[in-house]
Amino acid sequence: MLISLHFGWEYQLYPSPRDIDLCREFIDAGADIILGHHPHYPQGIERYGNGIIAYSLGNFIWDQNFVGHTASSYALEIELTKSRIISVRILPSRMNRNYRLEHVTDSESIDEINSLSAALKRRQRMNELWYFIPRNKMLEFIKIFTNVLKERRVRKKKSHNLLLYVTSPRFRYTMNSLLCFIVTCRAFYYEIKKKILR
């Protein structure tokens, strides 16, 4: 069974711990292949149980090659039988200036995907990498809120922008992720570790 999932955070190179758990549950429930898309960035691939999970195949046809890694994508060539996956081959591609996909054969593209995939094997490292994504998003939100409040004071008008940000699913997801780390004390551990390693 193949599942195509439109999920994950946009413009991130790593899936969240929650997304990893979700995909693994699908494999445990009988799925064989999971193909993720939505982040617009390529993310890692892992073999889990009897299945294969590609968390994000990248950007493909969207004309966003002005943003970070959105020019990179990959396809998978999967050889399988009725009962098992025999082999998986990564076929990387890159968007050119005319927004056309070109198959690339350089080892750098394969190395990048292999590096993203290697991180998935270390849960502690993935948690650490993921922590700084919602943390930085929260700092971004605080900056936006501050600007909205300043704007309200200057214009002396009612602004609904603040309410829109607070009630957005992304904000709630960010808050839940951060809250989880704070409650388990991991947030403090990562912050202290980051300060010490500077």
Side-chain angles (χ1 to χ4, degrees):
M1 180 196 316
L2 186 148
I3 297 177
S4 177
L5 277 181
H6 189 74
F7 80 140
W9 278 50
E10 288 181 312
Y11 313 119
Q12 304 301 337
L13 288 168
Y14 302 99
S16 73
R18 190 171 81 169
D19 293 342
I20 293 170
D21 290 340
L22 177 69
C23 288
R24 288 176 179 176
E25 281 175 29
F26 281 132
I27 297 290
D28 290 338
D32 301 301
I33 301 166
I34 297 173
L35 302 177
H37 40 87
H38 178 64
H40 297 283
Y41 276 19
Q43 293 180 353
I45 307 162
E46 73 169 334
R47 273 192 178 268
Y48 174 77
N50 295 323
I52 187 96
I53 305 168
Y55 289 96
S56 174
L57 296 172
N59 202 38
F60 281 103
I61 59 168
W62 298 103
D63 56 345
Q64 298 175 336
N65 62 359
F66 51 86
V67 185
H69 294 264
T70 53
S72 302
S73 300
Y74 66 90
L76 292 178
E77 185 178 272
I78 302 172
E79 188 182 344
L80 45 92
T81 64
K82 285 184 178 180
S83 58
R84 68 188 183 94
I85 295 169
I86 296 169
S87 67
V88 179
R89 186 169 159 236
I90 301 166
L91 304 170
S93 57
R94 196 169 289 124
M95 195 184 294
N96 66 21
R97 289 182 183 184
N98 299 318
Y99 305 110
R100 290 174 185 242
L101 275 182
E102 294 176 345
H103 177 68
V104 289
T105 53
D106 61 353
S107 60
E108 191 180 316
S109 299
I110 299 284
D111 290 344
E112 181 187 9
I113 294 163
N114 287 337
S115 170
L116 294 171
S117 302
L120 293 165
K121 294 174 185 167
R122 297 168 53 207
R123 187 62 186 232
Q124 175 71 16
R125 179 67 181 139
M126 280 304 299
N127 285 343
E128 189 173 336
L129 289 165
W130 176 251
Y131 165 68
F132 289 102
I133 294 169
R135 171 195 178 269
N136 294 339
K137 288 283 174 195
M138 283 303 301
L139 295 177
E140 222 175 274
F141 279 125
I142 289 165
K143 203 179 282 186
I144 291 165
F145 292 156
T146 308
N147 290 339
V148 169
L149 291 172
K150 280 180 189 171
E151 191 182 302
R152 279 181 73 173
R153 278 197 293 269
V154 170
R155 294 186 181 182
K156 294 183 180 177
K157 289 180 182 177
K158 284 188 177 179
S159 173
H160 299 290
N161 292 358
L162 189 64
L163 186 63
L164 286 172
Y165 287 120
V166 173
T167 57
S168 72
R170 178 167 283 189
F171 178 76
R172 287 198 308 272
Y173 187 24
T174 305
M175 283 298 291
N176 288 340
S177 298
L178 256 183
L179 204 60
C180 171
F181 280 97
I182 290 166
V183 167
T184 58
C185 296
R186 280 183 285 185
F188 302 112
Y189 167 73
Y190 292 142
E191 287 293 343
I192 291 164
K193 186 177 172 185
K194 192 179 177 190
K195 293 269 190 297
I196 290 169
L197 291 175
R198 269 185 186 169

